[in-house]
Amino acid sequence: MPTTLVSDIDRHVSTKQGHSLNFKAEEPRSVPDVAVQPCLNAGCREAGAKAEPAKTEPAKADAEPDTKPDTKPATKKAGKGPTVGEIAAAMRKIIDEDDAEKLTSDGSVRVDAIEAELGQDIPAHLRDAAAKQIEKGEV
């Protein structure tokens, strides 16, 4: 059963199981059980729990290495997001690299890999449209 978590800042959490979760500050979101602990380790909290005061001590060395605050720029080109073609080209490049860390177990391109390639978040509907272009051999 999913757990509802919230972050006090915009945050991106990637898990070793291939989950890629974006949190907007103070907006609760449902998180699959397998991703709850990495999200908590990254600084999220259960919805309804009070935020703890910011700590001034350095982060612990045992923190999940695959979790990080969202540090990507909000946009790449003066307020415009990527086009379907740009997303498809990034996906094709990642597929051609054949880097297992950038692909899911079924061979799909990981969302965080696409976002890293483009330097910005991508909307799900554009990612899906780009994937269809690749499936059709258009890219």
Side-chain angles (χ1 to χ4, degrees):
M1 183 167 139
T3 302
T4 303
L5 298 179
V6 67
S7 174
D8 59 336
I9 61 171
D10 287 356
R11 181 183 314 274
H12 177 86
V13 180
S14 295
T15 69
K16 292 178 181 176
Q17 294 82 16
H19 293 87
S20 180
L21 302 131
N22 285 312
F23 289 86
K24 295 294 178 189
E26 300 304 329
E27 289 184 17
R29 79 163 282 163
S30 181
V31 175
D33 289 340
V34 297
V36 170
Q37 194 57 51
C39 291
L40 293 173
N41 291 347
C44 297
R45 65 182 187 282
E46 288 192 39
K50 291 183 181 180
E52 294 181 18
K55 295 179 182 178
T56 56
E57 60 189 61
K60 293 182 181 179
D62 63 348
E64 291 283 324
D66 60 346
T67 59
K68 61 188 179 285
D70 190 0
T71 57
K72 290 180 248 174
T75 58
K76 184 177 173 181
K77 303 181 258 181
K80 294 184 180 181
T83 65
V84 173
E86 290 171 332
I87 295 169
M91 291 172 74
R92 171 53 57 200
K93 179 180 177 191
I94 293 166
I95 291 167
D96 291 345
E97 290 174 0
D98 198 27
D99 182 348
E101 290 186 13
K102 295 181 180 180
L103 303 173
T104 63
S105 59
D106 68 355
S108 300
V109 180
R110 292 174 49 126
V111 174
D112 59 335
I114 302 166
E115 291 175 341
E117 181 71 29
L118 294 172
Q120 58 186 318
D121 290 339
I122 57 170
H125 70 282
L126 294 180
R127 179 202 62 228
D128 294 343
K132 286 182 183 178
Q133 282 187 352
I134 291 172
E135 286 174 17
K136 292 178 182 178
E138 297 173 0
V139 178

